[in-house]
Amino acid sequence: MTPLVQRAPRFSTEDAVRLALDIYGLHATAGPLPSERDQNFRLRDAGGAQYVLKIANAEERREILDLQNRALQHLADSSTSLVWPRVIVSRNGEEIAECDAHFVRLLTWVDGVCLAEVQPHSPELLASLGAALAVTDRALETFSHPAATRVFHWDLAEARMARPHLELLPLARRALVEPILDGWERIPFQELPASVIYGDANDYNVLVDGNRVCALLDFGDMVRTASICDLAIAIAYVMLDKDDPLAPAAHVVAAYNKVRLLLDTELDALYPLAAARLAMSVCYAAFQLSHAPGNEYLNISNAPAWRLLERLAALPDGWPTEVFRNVCRPAPDLLAARRRTIGPSLSISYDQPLHIIRGWKQRLYDSSGRAYLDCVNNVAHVGHCHPAVTSAATAQMARLNTNTRYLYDQLSEYAERLTGTLPEPLRVVYFVCSGSEANELALRLARAHTGRDGVIVVDTAYHGNTNALVDISPYKFNGPGGRGCPPHVQVVPMPDAYRGIAYEGTVAQAAWQGRAGAFICESALGCGGQIILPEGYLADAFDAVRRSGGVCIADEVQTGFGRAGSHFWMFETQGVVPDIVTMGKPIGNGHPMGAVVATREIAASFANGMEYFNTFGGNPVSCAAGLAVLDVIRDEGLQQNALDAGNYLMERLWDFGDPLIGDVRGQGLFIGVELVRDQASKEPAAEEAAALVNRMKSRGVLLSTDGPYHNVIKIKPPIVFNRDDADFVMKNWA
Ligand code: PMP
């Protein structure tokens, strides 16, 4: 292709003016237009009529130009709603004239703005592109021309031509491109419908009028190949320079499918072909660069393709094809189905509920192909669908799943590993299936050990969904449908430093008054509004509770497993050792698990003859998942990452200077941003917080609110969340 580019015609604008007059009898002014291998001029005659004078590359064959002319005529006759350039004949009656070994043609000018210059690409505009291409492809199904059957290096069926250039790429880039060319090899071209295609819907060739695609330009890449290639080429360009490339591509595909129904084989080939187009672009550019070293332009014009290849490589495996299939096939009404069968006491997030169908690392992907940065899921702790966890659990599930009345290696191995993360004397573990079961059991352990039912809880806390736990959860018993505080429960104020609540000594007071058996406290308050406990809070509280004969339960369901960054367990940031620790959510990265770890003394008190058996707790599959989670946290340095990314995000939030932000607080990747209407009065900005959450969702960031006034933005993402993600949050924060 290099000779072709190098042999591009080199006429001056004066030459163009002269050619227009000599060949077409047209008195016109001329201005240059861009072209890779030909030369084009924009002409304007005295009456204001405009034309494109096209001077072909010396290598170009007459048949190819005839192919273009015939196709344009065919499309113009097909009554599509698009405008097609018309071919003007010369004074000699020729459609194709000649000048100095170059073929020359004159086409009518088509008005419009090119897609590359329209920003943003609205869903309507993208849909219009899909429809325009489908209309074109349908019209071309009945078109044939002998010259269309040719070997052409931009034909996606010829992507093998790019492979020899792989060696020109640096290794990291080669690793992005090679799998795409491998995937291309598996495309069953013989099963794909073939036709002559337009073949060049790049964003400089697509003309837009308002919110609608009105014309396609440049027919030099026409070739007979798999019809789906037209769409593949278009989406390769549509995805360029988009933060979230798949969703805009999906708009194009869905609209295309409405006009020209895509076969399953075409849908499956679509993404591999679009990716192949990008691979071909970067390979050919590398080849050209090797012949023209120092041509910075080639590097710059390829940068968006490389950025896109990197973004695509970060998507879950097989996801693009799943999206394209999804948007082309009718979806069931899931909301209605849910309302028919699921208990109505459960709300659903967001005004426009999300239909998430894939999770990968710190992102969730919805059925339209949109990606969302997940800043709230503290269950998918080491990243959604982490392969180490899924493979450990599925491998074990395929071998054996049983219960803790049998001996198996995984149970003791996991118990050792888990207790090994905790300080002495926390050495005895009970495996359960949820955070609620863990807290429920913790209450039983405390009661068995102290002989007392009374419990001290912190205001606004939530500890779980069972009867006993609703009774110790002010968030529930004081909330809608709640029955108020039961007699055996004492509520102490939240130690909320930002709001200056007087909390000192309140746990001690409650302990002596109520002779409570247990004090249960999250090591940082979740429902309370992502509150970091003041220094010394747990030390003082634990001391008082123990001296009054009670035990201290640390609810680490939300806060454990390295999220704190500086420590593996949040209670360690307080310099204390609880008597009982409860765990849930992140423990199995989404596999339903929980655990309680207690001292030997407490375990001995509980062993009073009544057995504790939990059918699913501690089963081999759960142990395998739990072990894998511990391995990943260690092997990927995720605790350190939580510290680094959390501190970075908190700094950026403070620096942002949003007048609504009253407080930014956190520990590692457990962060709260309290929104207030007034910095002095601290009037909670609940509506503003809800609006922010919805706006951020529309920009691809999932957050939620918490706290008694619903004005705290909570941020507790999978702890693979990194600085780039923090930058993405801040870029969209508004
Ligand atoms: N404790 C805390 C602090 C929690 O946040 C939760 C759940 N939100 C639970 C316990 C209960 O866990 P689960 O929903 O797994 O039963």
Side-chain angles (χ1 to χ4, degrees):
M1 87 223 64
T2 300
L4 213 60
V5 174
Q6 284 173 354
R7 298 198 58 189
R10 294 202 175 87
F11 288 83
S12 65
T13 43
E14 291 75 32
D15 295 334
V17 169
R18 184 176 47 79
L19 289 176
L21 188 60
D22 290 354
I23 303 178
Y24 298 98
L26 188 70
H27 289 274
T29 55
L33 291 170
S35 171
E36 187 200 20
R37 56 180 185 264
D38 303 325
Q39 211 182 4
N40 295 333
F41 292 94
R42 176 178 184 164
L43 303 183
R44 188 194 297 264
D45 71 12
Q50 297 192 79
Y51 305 87
V52 181
L53 182 72
K54 296 180 77 73
I55 306 172
N57 192 289
E59 298 283 307
E60 195 64 280
R61 290 183 294 134
R62 178 185 280 272
E63 295 80 3
I64 298 295
L65 299 177
D66 186 61
L67 158 66
Q68 296 180 37
N69 288 352
R70 297 277 71 73
L72 280 176
Q73 188 61 52
H74 179 87
L75 287 164
D77 294 344
S78 302
S79 73
T80 63
S81 57
L82 299 171
V83 180
W84 302 101
R86 257 182 317 106
V87 182
I88 309 281
V89 292
S90 72
R91 293 203 298 195
N92 301 338
E94 300 159 326
E95 285 189 346
I96 302 170
E98 279 178 53
C99 170
D100 295 350
H102 293 280
F103 294 118
V104 179
R105 290 181 302 147
L106 187 67
L107 303 183
T108 52
W109 178 261
V110 179
D111 261 333
V113 184
C114 69
L115 185 64
E117 277 156 22
V118 181
Q119 290 302 335
H121 293 167
S122 68
E124 296 75 31
L125 181 58
L126 294 166
S128 169
L129 172 60
L133 275 176
V135 161
T136 305
D137 285 346
R138 282 189 60 168
L140 288 174
E141 278 167 7
T142 53
F143 174 75
S144 64
H145 193 284
T149 305
R150 58 171 174 151
V151 176
F152 176 52
H153 68 279
W154 283 116
D155 177 1
L156 298 190
E158 302 288 351
R160 71 175 63 80
M161 288 186 179
R163 200 180 271 279
H165 309 317
L166 273 179
E167 63 190 28
L168 300 170
L169 302 175
L171 275 184
R173 292 193 151 181
R174 195 174 159 158
L176 287 173
V177 175
E178 203 161 10
I180 292 176
L181 293 180
D182 293 347
W184 173 87
E185 304 271 357
R186 293 188 289 273
I187 297 172
F189 279 98
Q190 65 291 351
E191 290 173 29
L192 299 173
S195 58
V196 178
I197 66 157
Y198 154 60
D200 203 7
N202 79 56
D203 41 2
Y204 284 93
N205 286 340
V206 173
L207 287 192
V208 173
D209 176 15
N211 221 0
R212 194 185 133 255
V213 168
C214 59
L216 303 174
L217 300 181
D218 194 348
F219 291 75
D221 286 0
M222 293 195 89
V223 62
R224 184 178 162 81
T225 188
S227 314
I228 187 69
C229 293
D230 243 350
L231 181 58
I233 292 164
I235 63 173
Y237 286 97
V238 157
M239 291 192 291
L240 287 178
D241 279 326
K242 305 276 199 309
D243 277 342
D244 185 11
L246 218 48
H251 283 301
V252 179
V253 175
Y256 182 103
N257 178 67
K258 284 190 184 140
V259 178
R260 179 179 170 271
L261 193 69
L262 291 163
L263 304 177
D264 283 349
T265 47
E266 290 185 302
L267 279 168
D268 289 350
L270 182 54
Y271 178 72
L273 285 168
R277 171 65 181 219
L278 294 167
M280 292 161 87
S281 292
V282 295
C283 284
Y284 293 158
F287 176 64
Q288 288 185 9
L289 201 60
S290 71
H291 281 70
N295 182 344
E296 266 317 297
Y297 173 76
L298 281 172
N299 261 335
I300 293 165
S301 64
N302 252 281
W306 283 116
R307 276 198 299 275
L308 175 56
L309 285 166
E310 275 164 22
R311 283 185 187 135
L312 295 175
L315 294 175
D317 204 25
W319 175 236
T321 297
E322 202 178 328
V323 170
F324 296 155
R325 274 180 170 257
N326 249 315
V327 297
C328 289
R329 303 291 178 249
D333 185 348
L334 291 180
L335 206 53
R338 177 183 164 111
R339 290 207 176 106
R340 275 197 304 278
T341 46
I342 304 295
S345 54
L346 178 63
S347 65
I348 187 161
S349 299
Y350 303 111
D351 307 341
Q352 295 289 313
L354 285 174
H355 178 195
I356 299 293
I357 44 183
R358 275 298 278 271
W360 183 241
K361 299 188 177 176
Q362 56 275 54
R363 289 196 171 67
L364 291 170
Y365 298 87
D366 78 5
S367 53
S368 74
R370 278 207 69 175
Y372 295 90
L373 178 63
D374 183 353
C375 300
V376 283
N377 196 320
N378 52 355
V379 174
H381 192 58
V382 299
H384 288 277
C385 304
H386 195 293
V389 182
T390 55
S391 63
T394 48
Q396 184 57 44
M397 197 156 188
R399 278 175 73 84
L400 171 74
N401 201 9
T402 177
N403 65 57
T404 42
R405 289 198 197 277
Y406 295 93
L407 294 176
Y408 43 90
D409 295 341
Q410 295 87 346
L411 182 70
S412 27
E413 188 187 349
Y414 182 42
E416 293 283 350
R417 283 284 298 280
L418 191 60
T419 52
T421 66
L422 288 158
E424 287 280 358
L426 291 161
R427 283 294 169 266
V428 184
V429 59
Y430 300 83
F431 287 118
V432 295
C433 305
S434 68
S436 295
E437 275 196 5
N439 282 333
E440 180 79 26
L441 177 58
L443 291 184
R444 286 183 59 190
L445 289 170
R447 188 187 302 156
H449 190 65
T450 64
R452 301 180 190 170
D453 286 337
V455 182
I456 301 168
V457 298
V458 178
D459 201 6
T460 324
Y462 174 68
H463 293 292
N465 57 30
T466 66
N467 269 314
L469 296 177
V470 169
D471 279 353
I472 64 156
S473 297
Y475 175 76
K476 288 285 172 197
F477 65 63
N478 283 334
R483 297 194 301 179
C485 186
H488 69 286
V489 176
Q490 288 170 283
V491 180
V492 294
M494 280 200 290
D496 181 345
Y498 175 66
R499 292 201 170 268
I501 294 173
Y503 62 85
E504 283 89 351
T506 53
V507 177
Q509 224 179 348
W512 291 112
Q513 268 173 13
R515 302 189 54 76
F519 167 59
I520 181 165
C521 184
E522 290 174 86
S523 306
L525 312 182
C527 285
Q530 302 288 101
I531 287 173
I532 302 305
L533 301 176
E535 205 181 323
Y537 177 79
L538 285 186
D540 290 349
F542 282 14
D543 184 49
V545 170
R546 283 171 180 152
R547 280 194 287 116
S548 72
V551 298
C552 302
I553 305 170
D555 181 337
E556 288 271 349
V557 168
Q558 292 212 26
T559 52
F561 293 92
R563 177 170 298 280
S566 57
H567 298 81
F568 198 80
W569 300 103
M570 192 70 86
F571 68 75
E572 294 175 291
T573 66
Q574 289 271 307
V576 294
V577 179
D579 305 303
I580 302 173
V581 177
T582 60
M583 308 165 191
K585 294 187 191 282
I587 185 170
N589 211 50
H591 187 75
M593 297 168 62
V596 181
V597 182
T599 63
R600 289 204 173 79
E601 289 69 28
I602 293 176
S605 305
F606 190 57
N608 60 3
M610 181 190 286
E611 276 209 41
Y612 181 78
F613 175 64
N614 190 311
T615 303
F616 299 122
N619 70 68
V621 174
S622 300
C623 290
L627 268 169
V629 169
L630 293 178
D631 286 346
V632 174
I633 295 171
R634 180 195 59 204
D635 298 346
E636 296 185 10
L638 295 184
Q639 183 182 321
Q640 180 59 37
N641 179 68
L643 185 64
D644 177 70
N647 284 342
Y648 178 73
L649 177 58
M650 285 191 278
E651 264 169 45
R652 291 225 40 196
L653 280 159
W654 273 128
D655 291 348
F656 189 67
D658 184 342
L660 272 180
I661 296 182
D663 191 25
V664 177
R665 54 191 175 239
Q667 173 69 49
L669 281 172
F670 185 91
I671 296 170
V673 186
E674 180 146 3
L675 302 189
V676 291
R677 295 200 175 124
D678 180 86
Q679 297 289 340
S681 73
K682 301 182 179 172
E683 184 193 347
E687 282 156 32
E688 292 85 342
L692 177 83
V693 166
N694 273 308
R695 267 198 316 279
M696 293 292 274
K697 176 204 158 203
S698 73
R699 295 170 188 183
V701 179
L702 301 184
L703 295 167
S704 65
T705 57
D706 232 329
Y709 312 109
H710 312 287
N711 67 324
V712 179
I713 305 292
K714 69 175 164 198
I715 302 177
K716 41 185 186 178
I719 63 170
V720 289
F721 180 100
N722 58 35
R723 284 178 178 233
D724 287 345
D725 300 321
D727 289 337
F728 185 72
V729 171
M730 295 320 300
K731 177 175 144 190
N732 289 290
W733 190 279

